[in-house]
Amino acid sequence: MVEVLLDRIDGDVIPNQEVTVAEDNCIPECTTKENNLSVTENLTPIQEFYHGQSVFLTGGTGFMGKLLIEKLLRMCPGIGSIYLLMRAKKGKDVHQRTEEIFDDVLFEKLKKKHPKFRHQIVAVAGDCSQPYLGMSPQDRATIIREVTIVFHVAATVRFDEKLKLAVPINVRSTKDVFDLCREIPNLKSFVHVSTAYANCPQSVIEEKFYDPPMDYDKLIALMECVDDKLAEDITSNLLGKWPNTYAYTKAVAENVIRKEAGDMPVGIFRPAIVISTYREPIKGWIDNLYGPTGVAAGAGTGLLRSIHCDGSTQANVVPADLTVNALIACAWDVANFRRLNNNATCDEVPIYNYVSKDNPITYDELKDKSSAHGLRIPPLKAVWYYSFRNTKHKVVHLFFVYFFHLLPALLIDTATVCVGRQPRLLKVYKKVHKFMNVLSYFSTQEWKFTNERMNAIIDKMTPQDREKFNCDIKSVDWDPYFEGYIRGIRVFLIKDPLDTLPQARAKWQKLYWCHQVVKLILAYGFLRFSWMVLLLFFNDFNFMREMMGFL
């Protein structure tokens, strides 16, 4: 279980969803004009915007991508086809992978409400890491002809991804999607999903463009003409003030939009740290171990004892379902913005910071709420009792790492070798510490964000749209949210169903007493050592006094 947990923390790239349109894929038949009128009369403004429109989506097999598909199909009646850009993977073609997407429990509510939704999904073979999205001319022609709304969500979110791979996926694919959108004659809205931390060298991040670390065309050309080793050697110099390749390439990708926007109906959506769903379609649903989720899972299973984190700083976390609702609303707002501002320039591209500043929560509060609920529903797969802290000072954190991570791991691995088994705990902690080092940049400092444009969208929404597409972060009650969050980590990530709670609580009680015994032993050892030091000190002191008297 521990290895699986850490493998997921160190996991692969979030799949970039790419596309081939098969000739036998069905596009829903158009309703009659009379039926359209009767349906649209009862639609909210946002629902009406999506009615009869077809969507092109990259990143559809990723966390946010799946939630976006589910929400559009469940809450936007009359929406046309959703074209998913997807690559073949592990011997499975795009159609097999598409079927696997909808096996997820996430889509159960949709299946009950719209059991025939599958005919609206069109898999398109492609790959964001390849030039021109790896699409065939026939598929490209279909997208150009049929699509009116585009979401570019695909990205590699691994912070330590090699630039040689991160640049094609995060930067060049943005240019390729933009070029595709330029050819779509009926394009109403194109939203590029960035991150609130794309411009993290800035202490104040407003809803505007910032100068990129390098022009996108120069970076793409550079990565195409250097080999893997040289690219790796020059990475640290290229990053400059940026902490990792993810934030760096996202900043450069925004430069694509800035330079190419012209009069295109395009906007940039910058979400903060996206964690589990709040209420819909399933409370607490999560499918990855990135960021605070990996920390919560590691601490809850007894693997993590400390993380380098200033607990008093704000944890800029946002629920996934509200984030997707905000993304859907942003596409609607982008279309309205371009319609009302025909002469807008690229510097007037709407940018939306979706952050938690209006309902702040600190890292200490996040830890306390997570632990309070986690202790009530402990995982059966726990390896030790919960004992976790946010450690502000690096030296103190390193002390905890050496004495509460590495020393126990060394002892256990030594015992494992003695009984003829393969040691593994030190290797696991190597991954853990790599993961923690990546997070420390974001958990030890704080940024000030502005979000006026995002709040303006909420003000424009009708009461019905605010209910159906709730994206108001002020509506989140963090305590019940974290109850669902911890439950979701247990059920959806650790794969520990709630019916194991009786056994888990019995095991938890045993781990608790083992933890207390170890603490007593350590306390006794510390006191014994201190007493010996004091005795040596006083003996030496008395000896020195005797020597001084003798002299």
Side-chain angles (χ1 to χ4, degrees):
M1 176 267 159
V2 172
E3 285 186 328
V4 172
L5 182 66
L6 268 299
D7 285 343
R8 296 197 65 180
I9 288 176
D10 194 45
D12 294 332
V13 173
I14 283 185
N16 340 309
Q17 280 39 298
E18 286 83 31
V19 206
T20 352
V21 179
E23 293 181 357
D24 59 348
N25 280 323
C26 299
I27 296 175
E29 294 182 3
C30 294
T31 59
T32 64
K33 184 176 182 181
E34 292 76 9
N35 286 339
N36 266 329
L37 288 173
S38 63
V39 171
T40 56
E41 284 177 356
N42 297 319
L43 298 181
T44 67
I46 291 181
Q47 288 177 322
E48 189 171 348
F49 169 69
Y50 285 95
H51 183 78
Q53 309 302 315
S54 288
V55 174
F56 177 57
L57 169 65
T58 69
T61 62
F63 179 50
M64 280 186 58
K66 287 189 284 190
L67 281 166
L68 180 59
I69 294 168
E70 195 278 340
K71 183 70 176 190
L72 287 173
L73 291 174
R74 182 166 53 87
M75 295 303 293
C76 294
I79 193 171
S81 298
I82 298 181
Y83 294 86
L84 302 182
L85 186 64
M86 190 181 303
R87 62 193 171 101
K89 186 178 179 182
K90 297 180 180 178
K92 298 174 182 177
D93 62 27
V94 295
H95 301 292
Q96 291 173 309
R97 291 193 66 203
T98 303
E99 292 303 322
E100 288 183 350
I101 291 176
F102 299 107
D103 289 337
D104 198 300
V105 66
L106 173 71
F107 295 95
E108 286 187 356
K109 184 179 288 188
L110 173 63
K111 290 175 181 177
K112 291 177 182 178
K113 187 174 182 180
H114 301 297
K116 298 181 180 179
F117 75 91
R118 268 297 284 113
H119 73 281
Q120 294 174 268
I121 303 297
V122 184
V124 183
D127 189 340
C128 279
S129 67
Q130 299 302 313
Y132 310 109
L133 305 175
M135 293 170 59
S136 70
Q138 296 82 1
D139 296 336
R140 188 179 185 88
T142 302
I143 298 301
I144 291 170
R145 183 180 65 251
E146 301 293 340
V147 165
T148 54
I149 300 169
V150 175
F151 293 99
H152 182 40
V153 184
T156 167
V157 299
R158 287 182 64 168
F159 286 178
D160 60 345
E161 188 64 82
K162 296 182 185 301
L163 266 185
K164 193 75 173 171
L165 179 59
V167 169
I169 295 175
N170 291 356
V171 181
R172 189 180 64 200
S173 72
T174 303
K175 177 65 164 62
D176 291 339
V177 173
F178 203 99
D179 289 342
L180 177 64
C181 288
R182 204 188 301 277
E183 297 184 53
I184 298 175
N186 299 314
L187 184 69
K188 294 181 179 295
S189 183
F190 165 37
V191 181
H192 167 69
V193 178
S194 183
T195 170
Y197 295 99
N199 303 287
C200 55
Q202 307 289 332
S203 58
V204 178
I205 300 176
E206 302 178 50
E207 294 173 305
K208 67 177 187 179
F209 285 111
Y210 290 89
D211 291 335
M214 179 182 286
D215 283 344
Y216 77 87
D217 47 355
K218 293 180 181 178
L219 180 61
I220 293 172
L222 177 63
M223 288 299 109
E224 288 176 348
C225 70
V226 300
D227 59 26
D228 291 352
K229 185 179 185 309
L230 182 55
E232 195 166 346
D233 290 341
I234 64 176
T235 292
S236 60
N237 289 330
L238 287 175
L239 292 185
K241 296 179 180 179
W242 272 260
N244 53 62
T245 57
Y246 173 66
Y248 178 86
T249 53
K250 280 297 190 179
V252 177
E254 288 192 1
N255 179 238
V256 174
I257 307 299
R258 184 177 192 174
K259 292 186 71 172
E260 302 290 336
D263 60 353
M264 293 275 285
V266 59
I268 295 176
F269 180 65
R270 293 177 180 159
I273 303 168
V274 184
I275 51 178
S276 79
T277 57
Y278 183 27
R279 288 185 174 136
E280 60 167 344
I282 301 172
K283 184 178 180 180
W285 183 80
I286 183 85
D287 75 345
N288 66 81
L289 282 160
Y290 294 117
T293 304
V295 175
T301 53
L303 194 65
L304 278 183
R305 301 290 179 186
S306 169
I307 186 170
H308 186 209
C309 171
D310 183 351
S312 64
T313 62
Q314 290 187 16
N316 194 18
V317 293
V318 289
D321 49 343
L322 271 69
T323 305
V324 165
N325 289 341
L327 177 57
I328 290 170
C330 283
W332 166 70
D333 192 63
V334 164
N336 291 336
F337 176 85
R338 185 53 59 181
R339 179 172 52 83
L340 298 173
N341 299 271
N342 290 326
N343 297 320
T345 65
C346 61
D347 286 329
E348 296 176 273
V349 168
I351 298 175
Y352 309 89
N353 288 343
Y354 191 66
V355 293
S356 60
K357 63 167 287 189
D358 296 326
N359 189 3
I361 180 171
T362 66
Y363 279 107
D364 275 344
E365 290 172 329
L366 188 154
K367 178 186 74 71
D368 292 342
K369 292 180 185 299
S370 297
S371 62
H373 295 297
L375 290 172
R376 285 198 286 268
I377 52 169
L380 181 62
K381 298 178 181 179
V383 296
W384 195 252
Y385 191 73
Y386 176 88
S387 178
F388 175 77
R389 60 193 55 77
N390 291 324
T391 311
K392 180 177 180 179
H393 301 290
K394 186 70 175 287
V395 174
V396 179
H397 168 66
L398 289 175
F399 171 82
F400 288 131
V401 164
Y402 282 109
F403 282 92
F404 298 126
H405 287 177
L406 296 180
L407 180 59
L410 178 63
L411 295 174
I412 292 172
D413 276 357
T414 301
T416 301
V417 171
C418 291
V419 297
R421 296 176 62 184
Q422 190 71 22
R424 58 180 184 176
L425 205 52
L426 281 172
K427 292 181 180 179
V428 167
Y429 272 115
K430 183 178 181 181
K431 290 184 178 181
V432 170
H433 297 151
K434 181 180 178 182
F435 169 69
M436 290 194 303
N437 289 337
V438 164
L439 294 182
S440 64
Y441 176 88
F442 301 96
S443 59
T444 54
Q445 56 184 312
E446 190 169 290
W447 290 263
K448 292 182 179 180
F449 294 91
T450 64
N451 62 344
E452 286 81 4
R453 191 183 292 275
M454 190 66 239
N455 284 337
I457 291 183
I458 298 172
D459 292 339
K460 296 174 192 174
M461 293 167 67
T462 64
Q464 293 78 14
D465 270 333
R466 290 180 192 175
E467 180 181 351
K468 295 178 185 296
F469 302 96
N470 176 32
C471 53
D472 188 354
I473 197 69
K474 295 188 291 294
S475 68
V476 178
D477 185 339
W478 288 117
D479 192 63
Y481 172 80
F482 277 97
E483 179 185 8
Y485 178 52
I486 296 302
R487 188 182 296 263
I489 290 174
R490 187 187 200 275
V491 173
F492 300 117
L493 291 182
I494 301 177
K495 304 298 182 184
D496 207 346
L498 291 176
D499 55 16
T500 65
L501 264 178
Q503 304 99 292
R505 284 171 176 156
K507 178 181 178 180
W508 199 243
Q509 193 69 14
K510 293 176 183 177
L511 290 175
Y512 169 79
W513 287 114
C514 289
H515 182 65
Q516 300 307 320
V517 168
V518 169
K519 284 168 62 177
L520 284 173
I521 292 172
L522 290 174
Y524 173 77
F526 176 76
L527 290 173
R528 183 80 177 177
F529 176 77
S530 301
W531 180 250
M532 290 174 61
V533 170
L534 286 172
L535 285 177
L536 286 172
F537 174 78
F538 282 113
N539 286 337
D540 288 343
F541 179 73
N542 291 331
F543 176 75
M544 291 297 295
R545 285 184 62 184
E546 291 175 2
M547 290 295 295
M548 292 296 291
F550 176 77
L551 292 174

